[in-house]
Amino acid sequence: MAKKIQSVKGTRDLLPPATRRWAAVEEIAREVFGSYGYGEIRTPLLEHTELFVRSVGEATDIVGKEMYSFDDRKGRSLTLRPEGTAGIARAFVQHAMGSSGLPIKLFCIGPQFRYERPQRGRYRQFHQIDAELIGDPGPTSDAELLLMLVRFLERLGFDELTVLLNTVGDEASRGAYREALVDFLEPLRDRLSGDSRRRLESNPLRILDSKVPVEQELLEAAPRLDDYLNRESGDHFEAVRRALDGCGVAYRIEPRLVRGLDYYSRTVFEIVAEGLGSQDAIVGGGRYDGLIEELGGPAVPAIGFAIGQDRLIDILPEAFDAGCSAEPPVHLVAAGEVDPVALLELGEELRTAGLAVETEVGGRSVKAALKRADKAGARWMVLAGEDELGRGEVALRDLALGEQIQVSRETAIAKIKEKE
RNA sequence: GUGAGCGUAGCUCAAUUGGUAGAGCCCCUGGUUGUGGUCCAGGUGGUUGCGGGUUCAAGUCCCGUCGCUCACCCCA
């Protein structure tokens, strides 16, 4: 036997019927996001490595150790996208999308890649649903984006999810705070973990959400970010909260929430879920006012989020499946010496009438066909034998009741439709 | 990248102190020359993840490797 080839580590096949949930989630995303004026964008899976280094940030784990990168035949360094925002921002700049008026609202559904050790809720190929609102600096946009996110999750049947909210201030505020935090932590250097010590230089804010208990204690006395917010940043956050309160969006302020990507400014947020083990973040996002300019575009502010589709689908409420299960098709079966073309034609006739039809072309016994139809949960079987075809009729069997009648094709179609 | 646990039929799992692999489900066929869900009978399906070692003998013990799972880290 030849050696079997299996899927690449950290990637997985999504098989039917599970794919129905995926498609249903995506349909609902298109519908909900569409109702807020968002248009779908599809960016390449492959980008120049440079894009992520410049946007996500050199000091981040994503760029530092998780990128799925390789050289192409001409020696150019390419990377399978590890997140969605960078590519969308790149496309915005490349196509001068701002020239047709701002803001631009976009969403993107598709796979992302990170070279990590797989575990539950973490795969090398995973899937995100991104939404980005580009070109409006106002807190009302922040609130509307979050509102849309919450509505989407509600549509899927989630009702217990809470948005964790924080602000990391604008660049000036963050700069001032960063200095204060480093001044505070520097004398305590010896008591910090290796990771945190490294971050003292590269990305001090990330130390804030360290999970090391000792560090948590040390941080109790650390300067607080909100004391360093300038007037503008403070007002912005205040306005976001007021808008969310007004719309009845539940959130919890999480002062330690900072986010792993360099490009965030001001509003940042996250949603974590129960029952997912340690990979429990299902949504992350925030404002990125400097990113587009950083990528050579105009100085245009933006805000967005990414939903982890794999994790989301993992914890979808039970009731969700009922809503996306399809009506099992009518089973069309030949009995005896029947011209296969006549069977195919009959199938087409039923489909033209709007029915879903599964044709049993296996040439096996009627008994076997019935078993299959039964297992598929079908309600109807249309049986076409020599006798029936000769008279222009079919045998219509109601599998639920076990009743069978000889009727014309038209009558059969009418009967099936009537009971649907 | 680090650590731990686990790899036996398509799936879920057995196999005693090492003694040449078995069940249930699924699938196929028949019991019904064209009739399901129950039942009965039969059948297909395995180089025990892969490679090496110890042994008279390895699914079982040892080493390596690959994969899966979980945790750390990080994040979606």
Side-chain angles (χ1 to χ4, degrees):
Chain A
M1 198 168 48
K3 196 168 132 199
K4 287 178 191 160
I5 298 173
Q6 48 185 0
S7 58
V8 172
K9 180 180 185 136
T11 69
R12 53 188 188 147
D13 300 307
L14 302 172
L15 310 174
T19 38
R20 293 203 62 84
R21 316 177 97 198
W22 285 75
V25 165
E26 288 160 19
E27 275 159 34
I28 291 170
R30 290 194 173 93
E31 196 183 310
V32 173
F33 296 173
S35 78
Y36 284 80
Y38 285 65
E40 183 168 3
I41 182 172
R42 302 191 188 189
T43 66
L45 271 51
L46 216 47
E47 298 274 4
H48 292 289
T49 300
E50 165 87 15
L51 172 65
F52 303 114
V53 174
R54 266 167 67 182
S55 59
V56 177
E58 210 138 8
T60 63
D61 282 354
I62 291 178
V63 170
K65 56 184 194 190
E66 295 169 5
M67 284 207 295
Y68 227 114
S69 303
F70 47 87
D71 291 348
D72 73 2
R73 294 182 185 214
K74 287 274 173 63
R76 289 171 289 234
S77 178
L78 303 180
T79 295
L80 287 166
R81 63 184 188 193
E83 58 103 38
T85 303
I88 294 171
R90 193 223 80 238
F92 174 86
V93 173
Q94 182 170 334
H95 304 288
M97 291 174 80
S99 62
S100 54
L102 292 172
I104 296 279
K105 301 172 182 175
L106 299 167
F107 71 94
C108 182
I109 300 173
Q112 315 287 343
F113 303 83
R114 289 182 202 173
Y115 196 94
E116 296 183 89
R117 189 94 160 248
Q119 72 183 72
R120 179 170 184 198
R122 191 171 74 182
Y123 310 99
R124 287 188 176 178
Q125 177 178 336
F126 61 105
H127 302 79
Q128 287 187 335
I129 301 173
D130 282 274
E132 316 285 347
L133 195 166
I134 303 171
D136 188 280
T140 312
S141 284
D142 301 33
E144 197 193 45
L145 183 88
L146 283 164
L147 190 58
M148 177 174 85
L149 171 62
V150 168
R151 291 285 175 261
F152 170 64
L153 295 170
E154 284 170 356
R155 273 288 301 280
L156 298 178
F158 293 107
D159 47 12
E160 301 267 301
L161 299 173
T162 304
V163 177
L164 307 178
L165 191 68
N166 193 27
T167 180
V168 292
D170 62 12
E171 221 175 306
S173 307
R174 212 162 56 249
Y177 177 66
R178 175 192 295 244
E179 251 176 67
L181 185 64
V182 172
D183 287 347
F184 170 79
L185 288 172
E186 195 58 55
L188 305 169
R189 194 185 190 91
D190 297 344
R191 298 167 64 184
L192 296 177
S193 67
D195 278 339
S196 291
R197 248 175 277 168
R198 226 169 296 122
R199 289 197 185 111
L200 212 43
E201 273 89 49
S202 62
N203 200 347
L205 266 59
R206 295 281 296 118
I207 300 174
L208 284 183
D209 63 2
S210 156
K211 280 148 202 145
V212 182
V214 182
E215 298 186 356
Q216 288 280 12
E217 265 173 59
L218 291 179
L219 288 165
E220 292 291 331
R224 291 173 58 96
L225 180 53
D226 38 349
D227 292 333
Y228 287 79
L229 291 183
N230 55 26
R231 176 73 171 278
E232 226 187 329
S233 294
D235 288 351
H236 183 97
F237 194 46
E238 188 57 40
V240 172
R241 293 171 59 173
R242 222 174 24 244
L244 290 175
D245 290 338
C247 297
V249 173
Y251 63 88
R252 200 171 75 224
I253 302 296
E254 196 73 28
R256 294 277 172 74
L257 179 66
V258 287
R259 303 278 310 139
L261 283 56
D262 278 3
Y263 54 60
Y264 286 116
S265 56
R266 291 194 166 144
T267 312
V268 294
F269 53 91
E270 208 169 273
I271 296 179
V272 297
E274 301 281 306
L276 272 175
S278 57
Q279 308 303 318
D280 60 356
I282 57 169
V283 181
R287 184 161 273 286
Y288 50 98
D289 289 345
L291 177 61
I292 290 176
E293 191 175 16
E294 184 70 28
L295 292 176
V300 169
I303 182 167
F305 61 73
I307 300 168
Q309 197 178 356
D310 306 76
R311 294 176 186 178
L312 189 71
I313 284 171
D314 194 12
I315 55 164
L316 231 31
E318 293 258 332
F320 187 82
D321 283 329
C324 63
S325 68
E327 190 74 21
V330 174
H331 277 246
L332 176 60
V333 181
E337 297 288 310
V338 171
D339 177 7
V341 175
L343 190 72
L344 293 176
E345 279 172 354
L346 179 53
E348 287 306 287
E349 192 179 327
L350 298 175
R351 292 187 187 100
T352 303
L355 301 173
V357 181
E358 169 114 23
T359 317
E360 293 280 352
V361 293
R364 288 183 306 175
S365 66
V366 172
K367 177 178 175 157
L370 262 164
K371 275 189 175 167
R372 280 173 60 92
D374 186 52
K375 233 187 60 176
R379 173 77 192 270
W380 301 101
M381 186 170 88
V382 170
L383 194 133
E386 296 163 274
D387 306 350
E388 288 88 354
L389 286 174
R391 293 196 301 270
E393 292 186 337
V394 295
L396 176 65
R397 186 175 182 83
D398 183 329
L399 293 167
L401 300 176
E403 292 168 357
Q404 189 168 320
I405 49 175
Q406 299 282 329
V407 290
S408 69
R409 298 172 170 203
E410 294 72 30
T411 310
I413 289 166
K415 283 262 183 205
I416 294 170
K417 293 190 122 175
E418 180 189 316
K419 294 263 178 82
E420 260 179 358

